[in-house]
Amino acid sequence: MNEDDLDRMLREAVVPEQPKSYWDKFPGEVVLRLSSEGNGHRRRRFWPLAAAGFATAGAGLLLGFALWHRNGLRGPDAAELRDGRVLQALETEFPGRLQAIIMDARGVRPQLSALSDVSESDPIWLEIREGKERRVVVTFSGQVIRCGGRDVVVLADHDGQVMLLGPGFLWSPQASAGKAEGLQIKAEQLTDRRNDPAKRNAL
Amino acid sequence: MRNTLCLLLAFSLAASVQAADQPAAVRIAVFDFKADWHTDYRLEITHSGQVFSALMAQDLSVLKPLVVVGRDANGDNLAGEQTVGEERITPAAAKALGDSLHAAALVTGQLFRSTTQLIIAAKVVLTATGQTSGTLVQGNPSTSLADLTARLSAQIANLILYQPGSAPLQWKPASIVGSGGPDSPGEDGGVTYVAAIDGKPVVEREKRWKEPLALLPGTHEIIIGEAGSKTGFAYPLAFRAYPGARYQVHYNPGGGEPPAVAQAIPIYHPSKIWIQDLIAGTPVPVLVVGERESSRSIEPIGLGYNGSLGGGSLSGSSGGPFFPGSTGNASTGAPSSGGRSK
């Protein structure tokens, strides 16, 4: 190619044109790229902060665990369960749904029915020891709780005698049979003190 | 077994008819109890819990104003496979079940046994409110199953009929006494006496035949003996004792055989025995639960619980059946002329 040919080709050359849609998208692409690069910088900066946060949270958990074991169970104590204050509060919050209140090493939690279908009766206090685990359960006659690794029905009569009945499982203060043997259980039917301050104070 | 349950039902129906006339009748359904031991095919007991629930239904039916409902002509529960035993039953479910069975209360439970004890636990659900309660009885080898069942029935009845502030209901025990003696118009002047109740021999049964013996309301198995003849005899019968009733055992050696009894009593010793309700003045239905034995060697049978349950029978007694369907027959025990009924 001589000089003339080169000159002619350059004159005939057309400047490449981008379609209109390209130029429409171009600003957005730039912003997106810049934004992406900026985020990448922040993500890289996050890890030291996250590590510090995790460390702080871990320290908090350790502190809470230590305080928990130093002060016993968190939340309401056994006395508050026994005198009906917790029961009253939970029944107010979940009317007709409260099946049981369980207090164990994990704390205090309600056992609720999905529907408002729990019939009224006097509360029953159960203290169950299975090995090293101790649980306190406040429930009602006819409700099902876990005991000895199985579901059992809590039943009481009008004299306050309580028994736990399940498949191959019977416990009562007078006699035990089946898988209930070996468990340490104390039971007491509580008179309904939830709405009687005088009775509550007398405890 | 099926025949036995039919016969048990016959008792129950009779009681229901009586109690249904009472305005304050409380209708209850008794579901199958659960039992944790196996069956005895020799005695045709294929479901101990089912048999016990039939017995429980009988005993509850004598405690007015209770009326047992929800059983068909075979003695099976109309509720079929439905159970209220181990699960929590919601008030809505209790009401629906109660409506379908026309029952105000649902009863079920479980039996536990070992070589040293028998525990029967019952669960009661009131269908109007869904309120659920429970009670139990415990026996040792010297306790009869009949007494355990009768006691449990009374406790269940109190759970159902409970009224706040009122004392627990009590039902008077029944009594049973012998008949005959030298002044008796019988052919041989012998004495008919109660030889054993629920597997327990009566002390000095022949001498003290005039002394009434107490029976808790419910089903009992008695052995009727006869003294004064050379051979003597003893017949095991089951019948249902009502609260406060007074019964007397009778023997008419010259009487004809009631048809229903004829098959159960050996023909080589034609006799006629029955139990008379002294207040009503009529014979009561009885179930012949065994063959004639010599009164000299009475063995514990039937509803006695002697702790030796390893053989698998419900009563576990040494040789006696628990309502064996193969030999059981219901009888009204109607006396014929010449009997000693007083």
Side-chain angles (χ1 to χ4, degrees):
Chain A
M1 178 181 287
N2 55 30
E3 189 174 346
D4 293 334
D5 291 336
L6 177 61
D7 184 52
R8 189 175 58 252
M9 186 183 70
L10 290 173
R11 286 178 181 173
E12 290 175 356
V14 179
V15 177
E17 287 284 342
Q18 295 291 350
K20 184 177 182 299
S21 62
Y22 172 82
W23 295 113
D24 289 340
K25 293 180 181 176
F26 181 73
E29 293 283 349
V30 172
V31 172
L32 182 64
R33 184 168 180 179
L34 289 173
S35 174
S36 173
E37 289 175 354
N39 284 342
H41 287 298
R42 279 197 296 273
R43 193 179 299 124
R44 284 191 294 274
R45 290 171 187 164
F46 172 76
W47 288 111
L49 291 175
F54 281 128
T56 304
L61 284 174
L62 286 174
L63 180 62
F65 187 78
L67 291 173
W68 174 24
H69 280 269
R70 188 188 66 180
N71 296 327
L73 297 173
R74 294 178 297 174
D77 57 21
E80 292 170 321
L81 270 184
R82 196 175 181 86
D83 67 13
R85 277 178 284 176
V86 178
L87 191 63
Q88 186 178 22
L90 287 172
E91 285 196 322
T92 302
E93 187 172 357
F94 306 105
R97 292 180 54 200
L98 185 63
Q99 296 176 323
I101 306 170
I102 301 166
M103 184 175 75
D104 58 14
R106 290 184 291 169
V108 176
R109 59 189 182 280
Q111 177 179 309
L112 300 174
S113 169
L115 301 173
S116 178
D117 60 3
V118 178
S119 44
E120 292 185 5
S121 64
D122 284 348
I124 295 168
W125 170 277
L126 291 168
E127 188 174 336
I128 304 169
R129 288 184 185 274
E130 300 183 57
K132 294 180 179 178
E133 183 183 349
R134 171 181 175 267
R135 280 185 298 141
V136 171
V137 180
V138 177
T139 185
F140 311 94
S141 186
Q143 300 306 314
V144 175
I145 65 167
R146 293 290 290 179
C147 184
R150 67 193 60 214
D151 288 340
V152 299
V153 181
V154 181
L155 297 170
D157 65 13
H158 300 303
D159 294 328
Q161 296 295 316
V162 179
M163 67 174 172
L164 308 182
L165 182 64
F169 184 105
L170 171 69
W171 177 89
S172 77
Q174 298 82 19
S176 297
K179 300 295 183 183
E181 293 176 340
L183 293 178
Q184 291 183 309
I185 302 174
K186 294 179 181 176
E188 179 185 354
Q189 189 171 40
L190 306 173
T191 55
D192 201 341
R193 300 135 171 157
R194 287 165 289 184
N195 300 315
D196 191 339
K199 289 182 180 177
R200 187 192 309 164
N201 295 334
L203 292 173
Chain B
M1 178 66 196
R2 183 54 57 94
N3 292 336
T4 302
L5 292 178
C6 289
L7 294 170
L8 298 181
L9 180 73
F11 280 173
S12 299
L13 288 177
S16 300
V17 169
Q18 287 180 353
D21 296 335
Q22 304 296 322
V26 177
R27 300 161 68 90
I28 64 172
V30 181
F31 289 76
D32 288 351
F33 277 55
K34 288 198 170 183
D36 62 350
W37 66 85
H38 296 297
T39 57
D40 188 324
Y41 296 102
R42 180 178 63 86
L43 299 178
E44 300 184 39
I45 295 175
T46 56
H47 194 313
S48 301
Q50 188 180 17
V51 171
F52 180 80
S53 73
L55 178 62
M56 193 80 242
Q58 285 189 72
D59 281 15
L60 284 166
S61 68
V62 307
L63 303 178
K64 292 179 180 179
L66 299 184
V67 176
V68 178
V69 298
R71 288 179 176 267
D72 63 15
N74 292 323
D76 295 330
N77 286 321
L78 293 178
E81 297 298 322
Q82 295 187 52
T83 176
V84 292
E86 296 164 1
E87 303 82 9
R88 165 181 174 263
I89 183 167
T90 65
K95 187 174 188 313
L97 203 50
D99 288 346
S100 66
L101 296 171
H102 305 289
L106 313 173
V107 179
T108 187
Q110 200 168 344
L111 290 83
F112 301 86
R113 69 162 186 170
S114 68
T115 55
T116 58
Q117 66 175 356
L118 176 65
I119 304 173
I120 311 170
K123 175 182 173 183
V124 177
V125 181
L126 302 182
T127 58
T129 61
Q131 287 185 322
T132 306
S133 53
T135 186
L136 63 82
V137 290
Q138 181 185 11
N140 57 41
S142 65
T143 312
S144 75
L145 183 61
D147 281 347
L148 276 180
T149 311
R151 280 167 42 205
L152 184 61
S153 298
Q155 292 174 202
I156 290 172
N158 266 300
L159 290 179
I160 296 171
L161 303 172
Y162 171 74
Q163 296 290 334
S166 60
L169 296 173
Q170 291 185 337
W171 287 268
K172 290 182 180 178
S175 66
I176 190 166
V177 69
S179 65
D183 300 330
S184 170
E187 293 183 354
D188 58 2
V191 169
T192 307
Y193 58 91
V194 179
I197 300 176
D198 301 324
K200 295 180 180 177
V202 177
V203 178
E204 297 183 303
R205 48 190 179 266
E206 295 182 31
K207 294 180 181 177
R208 303 170 66 176
W209 61 271
K210 291 182 178 177
E211 296 180 14
L213 303 168
L215 296 171
L216 291 176
T219 304
H220 293 278
E221 188 177 64
I222 65 170
I223 294 177
I224 297 177
E226 187 269 346
S229 66
K230 291 182 179 178
T231 56
F233 70 88
Y235 285 107
L237 301 174
F239 82 111
R240 193 165 44 203
Y242 282 80
R246 294 189 293 120
Y247 300 101
Q248 188 173 42
V249 294
H250 285 274
Y251 167 57
N252 175 21
E257 298 291 345
V261 179
Q263 295 178 357
I265 296 179
I267 57 174
Y268 58 83
H269 188 86
S271 62
K272 181 177 176 182
I273 54 172
W274 73 95
I275 298 174
Q276 185 83 0
D277 184 331
L278 294 178
I279 297 176
T282 56
V284 300
V286 297
L287 184 66
V288 180
V289 294
E291 295 183 352
R292 182 181 67 90
E293 300 281 350
S294 166
S295 61
R296 309 289 184 257
S297 59
I298 294 173
E299 296 290 336
I301 61 170
L303 296 178
Y305 162 60
N306 61 9
S308 58
L309 297 175
S313 72
L314 189 60
S315 69
S317 55
S318 58
F322 173 76
F323 290 155
S326 57
T327 58
N329 282 282
S331 167
T332 58
S336 63
S337 60
R340 294 177 185 159
S341 179
K342 295 178 180 178

